[in-house]
Short mmCIF file of all heavy atoms in Angstrom, two decimals:
data_model
loop_
_atom_site.label_atom_id
_atom_site.label_comp_id
_atom_site.label_asym_id
_atom_site.label_seq_id
_atom_site.Cartn_x
_atom_site.Cartn_y
_atom_site.Cartn_z
N HIS A 51 6.95 11.06 0.58
CA HIS A 51 7.21 12.49 0.86
C HIS A 51 6.36 13.44 -0.01
O HIS A 51 5.99 14.49 0.41
CB HIS A 51 8.70 12.84 0.74
CG HIS A 51 9.32 12.57 -0.60
ND1 HIS A 51 9.77 11.34 -0.98
CD2 HIS A 51 9.49 13.38 -1.67
CE1 HIS A 51 10.24 11.40 -2.19
NE2 HIS A 51 10.07 12.62 -2.66
N ASP A 52 6.13 13.04 -1.25
CA ASP A 52 5.41 13.94 -2.17
C ASP A 52 3.95 13.59 -2.39
O ASP A 52 3.34 14.06 -3.36
CB ASP A 52 6.12 13.99 -3.54
CG ASP A 52 7.13 15.12 -3.63
OD1 ASP A 52 7.00 16.10 -2.85
OD2 ASP A 52 8.01 15.06 -4.50
N LYS A 55 1.15 15.98 -3.52
CA LYS A 55 1.01 16.45 -4.89
C LYS A 55 -0.28 15.97 -5.55
O LYS A 55 -0.76 16.58 -6.50
CB LYS A 55 2.22 16.11 -5.72
CG LYS A 55 3.42 16.97 -5.36
CD LYS A 55 4.60 16.75 -6.27
CE LYS A 55 5.71 17.73 -5.90
NZ LYS A 55 6.96 17.41 -6.61
N HIS A 80 1.84 21.35 -1.04
CA HIS A 80 1.88 19.90 -1.11
C HIS A 80 2.49 19.28 0.15
O HIS A 80 2.17 18.16 0.51
CB HIS A 80 2.57 19.40 -2.38
CG HIS A 80 4.07 19.38 -2.33
ND1 HIS A 80 4.86 20.47 -2.66
CD2 HIS A 80 4.95 18.39 -2.03
CE1 HIS A 80 6.12 20.15 -2.53
NE2 HIS A 80 6.22 18.91 -2.15
N SER A 81 3.34 20.04 0.86
CA SER A 81 3.93 19.51 2.12
C SER A 81 2.84 19.28 3.17
O SER A 81 2.71 18.21 3.73
CB SER A 81 5.00 20.42 2.71
OG SER A 81 5.81 20.90 1.73
N HIS A 108 9.80 17.95 4.29
CA HIS A 108 10.90 17.61 3.36
C HIS A 108 11.40 18.80 2.55
O HIS A 108 12.40 18.66 1.87
CB HIS A 108 10.50 16.43 2.48
CG HIS A 108 9.52 16.74 1.38
ND1 HIS A 108 8.14 16.81 1.62
CD2 HIS A 108 9.65 16.91 0.07
CE1 HIS A 108 7.52 17.09 0.49
NE2 HIS A 108 8.42 17.13 -0.46
N HIS A 109 10.74 19.96 2.59
CA HIS A 109 11.26 21.13 1.96
C HIS A 109 11.78 22.17 2.93
O HIS A 109 12.08 23.30 2.56
CB HIS A 109 10.26 21.77 1.01
CG HIS A 109 10.04 20.94 -0.25
ND1 HIS A 109 10.96 20.82 -1.24
CD2 HIS A 109 8.97 20.18 -0.58
CE1 HIS A 109 10.48 20.00 -2.18
NE2 HIS A 109 9.28 19.59 -1.79
N TYR A 117 10.39 25.69 3.63
CA TYR A 117 8.97 25.81 3.95
C TYR A 117 8.43 24.46 4.39
O TYR A 117 9.07 23.45 4.14
CB TYR A 117 8.22 26.37 2.71
CG TYR A 117 8.18 25.45 1.50
CD1 TYR A 117 7.18 24.46 1.36
CD2 TYR A 117 9.11 25.58 0.45
CE1 TYR A 117 7.16 23.63 0.23
CE2 TYR A 117 9.06 24.77 -0.67
CZ TYR A 117 8.09 23.81 -0.78
OH TYR A 117 8.06 23.00 -1.90
N ASP A 137 16.52 12.70 -1.80
CA ASP A 137 15.57 13.12 -2.80
C ASP A 137 16.21 14.10 -3.78
O ASP A 137 16.07 13.98 -4.97
CB ASP A 137 14.38 13.77 -2.10
CG ASP A 137 13.21 14.04 -3.07
OD1 ASP A 137 12.99 13.23 -3.95
OD2 ASP A 137 12.54 15.05 -2.89
FE1 FE2 B 1 8.19 17.86 -2.47
#
Side-chain angles (χ1 to χ4, degrees):
H51 60 275
D52 267 339
K55 285 186 175 170
H80 82 274
S81 315
H108 74 282
H109 289 289
Y117 66 86
D137 190 37

